[in-house]
Amino acid sequence: MEKEKLKAIIKNFRRGASHQRTNQFIVIIDGIKTKAKASSLVGKKVSWKTKSGKLIAGRIMQAHGAKGAVRVRMVKGLPGEAVGTPIQIK
């Protein structure tokens, strides 16, 4: 039996005042509300499905903030339309 995949939403690009990293995202995960729980997911693989059905892979880098968000680095940059869409954590 396959492990249950966690569901999450891409919240925003990782960015600074004048620079946006198109291959790094802030992700909010359902059911994860603390930094400790978010830190336990570091290293897990993630995937985002394009409209055409292709999967773009990535990995959780570290926790972001104190409320359970995580930073994700994708292998390839994602388009702006990816913000607000679901992403799967394996």
Side-chain angles (χ1 to χ4, degrees), residues 1-87:
M1 185 175 203
E2 187 177 332
K3 283 186 176 181
E4 186 177 329
K5 295 178 183 174
L6 295 171
K7 293 185 179 180
I9 300 290
I10 297 175
K11 186 67 175 169
N12 206 347
F13 290 102
R14 181 172 176 230
R15 54 174 292 156
S18 61
H19 184 71
Q20 177 173 286
R21 293 163 180 86
T22 58
N23 71 329
Q24 297 180 22
F25 293 90
I26 307 301
V27 174
I28 306 293
I29 305 167
D30 292 343
I32 305 293
K33 302 293 180 196
T34 65
K35 186 173 188 172
K37 285 185 180 179
S39 295
S40 70
L41 297 173
V42 171
K44 292 215 181 254
K45 293 181 181 179
V46 300
S47 62
W48 182 74
K49 187 180 277 190
T50 64
K51 287 182 181 180
S52 64
K54 269 177 61 176
L55 288 178
I56 298 177
R59 197 172 285 275
I60 296 177
M61 297 187 315
Q62 70 183 64
H64 177 81
K67 295 188 177 180
V70 293
R71 293 183 195 158
V72 173
R73 179 180 291 143
M74 304 302 281
V75 172
K76 181 179 175 183
L78 299 185
E81 65 191 17
V83 175
T85 61
I87 188 168

